[in-house]
Amino acid sequence: MADGAISATEKRGAMSLALVFALRMAGLFMIMPVLAIAARHLDGFSPLTVGVAIGAYGLTQAILQIPMGWLSDRIGRKPVIVGGLVVFAIGSVVAALSDSMTGIIVGRAIQGMGAIASAILALAADLSREEHRSKVMATIGMSIGVAFAASLIFGPALVQWLGLSGMFWLAAGFALLGILAVLLTVPKVSTHAPRGDVSASFGQFVRAIKNPQLLRLDFSIFSLHLLLTAEFVQFPSRLVRAGLSAGHHWFLYLPVMIGSFVLMVPMLILASKKNQQRGYFMLAIGLFLMASLLLLVSDSLVALIGSAVLFFTAFNYMEAALPAMLSSLAPAGQKGGSMGVYSTCQFIGAFIGGSVSGLILGHLGTSAVVVFSIVMIVLWSLAALGLKVQSGLKNYTIRYRRDCDSDRLVRQLGSLDGVLEAVIFPEEKTAYLKVNDKQFSLDNAQQLVQGGSL
């Protein structure tokens, strides 16, 4: 694990996997801002079926994310990723050929069955050294943000040209491009990252559920994606009523996304520099509340633009901040289990947000959907009050080949400057450390683990 610049293989792995992830997420996301308008001609159209269709992928993703990660441990990452993209393409074709909302819902659910996020992140970990893994993961994370922004901007314009079925055919094409990227551009790898970094065993899953700080982050990502799908159940129709035709929604989304990114980046920088992650976390929740209250008092185009800027500034901030907070709070050697629970909560939130808000919209109207969102925001803020953010902490993984006294080694590692927690898994020949990075020396820990002298 020699330190140094990120290698060409690591760069290639990061960029190619980011492309695969972006293509798949674009296929999911680009339907969200247009479905409530473009599906009006389909049999069975109602606010409830729109909501279920928007969030259907979340249910199947939540069910299959961890099993697909486990399967990638057994048969390899690439076969699982390619298989998942094939399933995603099949779901897209089912939706494209459908003339009813039932078919769209089934297609979206099948899309979600191609649950490859855990396998992609595991392969990213396999392709990167510990000291550069965060850069690789950040690249993939940014690709998701870019895919989401592009979907909001181009989706409303593309649906006017391609129609709703054409959007699903385009999603199938994205899946095929993703398969080509996996087969042709993702580097070959003959090793696996330690399981504690990427895999969620049942024991880790249970321990992650019992951790109150991690549970607060799990509820946060649940709430975040619930609010997102609830937003797209009611927001496109508000724009139409305000005088902005469906084909011109990108006129709003383009400046909104640019503005939200401009506002979000300083929040991330200031939160890190001033060690105020918790304060900016609560500020973002406050922005969600302000966005919802604005929708309650006015349906004017100006109010909708202001609400959208506030909403997506908060959303983009949370999407970037929550994974970093999870990495900081996850116990040493349990990152995989913690991420498994986190991802499951994310997709359950997407499904419940779409389904419940669609049901509310059909019976009580758009204002009731906003009230539902406000209730969730209040619950989220109450849950977040006990959040204790630990800044300056990092997780390191060191693998070794020699046989050693595990009890003695873990005591020695725990005595090093900056080490807050040390865990040894002898069967993996892996040491997991949680450290204060300002006081910790990775070189000293590596020398100790490899049998050198300090």
Coordinates of all heavy atoms in Angstrom, one line a residue, residues 3 71 81 159 185 193 220 256 344 391 397 403:
D3 N 2.2 4.8 -0.6 CA 1.5 6.0 -0.9 C 2.0 6.7 -2.1 O 3.1 6.4 -2.6 CB 1.6 7.0 0.3 CG 0.6 8.1 0.3 OD1 -0.3 8.0 -0.5 OD2 0.7 8.9 1.2
L71 N -23.9 -11.4 -3.9 CA -23.7 -12.2 -5.0 C -22.4 -11.8 -5.8 O -21.6 -12.6 -6.3 CB -24.9 -12.0 -6.0 CG -24.8 -12.9 -7.2 CD1 -24.8 -14.4 -6.9 CD2 -26.0 -12.6 -8.2
I81 N -22.8 -6.7 -12.3 CA -23.1 -5.4 -12.9 C -23.7 -5.5 -14.3 O -24.7 -4.9 -14.6 CB -21.8 -4.5 -13.0 CG1 -21.3 -4.2 -11.5 CG2 -22.0 -3.2 -13.7 CD1 -19.9 -3.6 -11.5
V159 N -38.8 14.6 -23.7 CA -40.1 14.0 -23.8 C -40.9 14.6 -24.9 O -41.8 13.9 -25.4 CB -40.8 14.0 -22.4 CG1 -41.3 15.4 -22.1 CG2 -41.8 13.0 -22.3
T185 N -14.1 -0.8 -20.9 CA -13.3 0.3 -20.3 C -12.9 0.1 -18.8 O -11.9 0.6 -18.4 CB -14.0 1.7 -20.4 OG1 -15.2 1.6 -19.6 CG2 -14.3 1.9 -21.9
A193 N -11.4 -5.8 -2.3 CA -11.2 -4.9 -1.1 C -11.7 -5.7 0.1 O -12.5 -6.6 0.0 CB -12.0 -3.6 -1.2
S220 N -32.2 10.2 7.9 CA -31.9 11.4 7.0 C -32.0 11.1 5.6 O -32.6 11.8 4.8 CB -30.6 12.0 7.4 OG -30.5 12.5 8.7
V256 N -32.2 26.9 -12.0 CA -32.4 26.4 -10.7 C -31.2 25.5 -10.3 O -30.6 25.6 -9.2 CB -33.7 25.7 -10.5 CG1 -33.7 24.8 -9.3 CG2 -34.8 26.7 -10.4
T344 N -30.4 0.9 1.8 CA -31.8 0.4 1.9 C -32.8 1.4 2.3 O -33.9 1.5 1.7 CB -31.8 -0.8 2.9 OG1 -30.9 -1.8 2.4 CG2 -33.2 -1.4 3.0
S391 N -15.8 15.4 13.2 CA -15.0 15.9 12.1 C -13.5 15.5 12.2 O -13.1 15.3 13.3 CB -15.1 17.4 12.0 OG -14.6 18.0 13.2
T397 N -7.9 1.1 6.1 CA -7.8 -0.4 6.0 C -6.4 -0.8 5.6 O -5.9 -0.3 4.6 CB -8.8 -0.9 5.0 OG1 -10.1 -0.4 5.3 CG2 -8.8 -2.4 5.0
D403 N 1.5 -14.1 9.7 CA 0.7 -14.6 10.8 C 1.2 -13.8 12.1 O 2.3 -13.5 12.2 CB 0.9 -16.1 11.1 CG 0.4 -17.0 10.0 OD1 -0.7 -16.6 9.4 OD2 1.0 -18.0 9.6

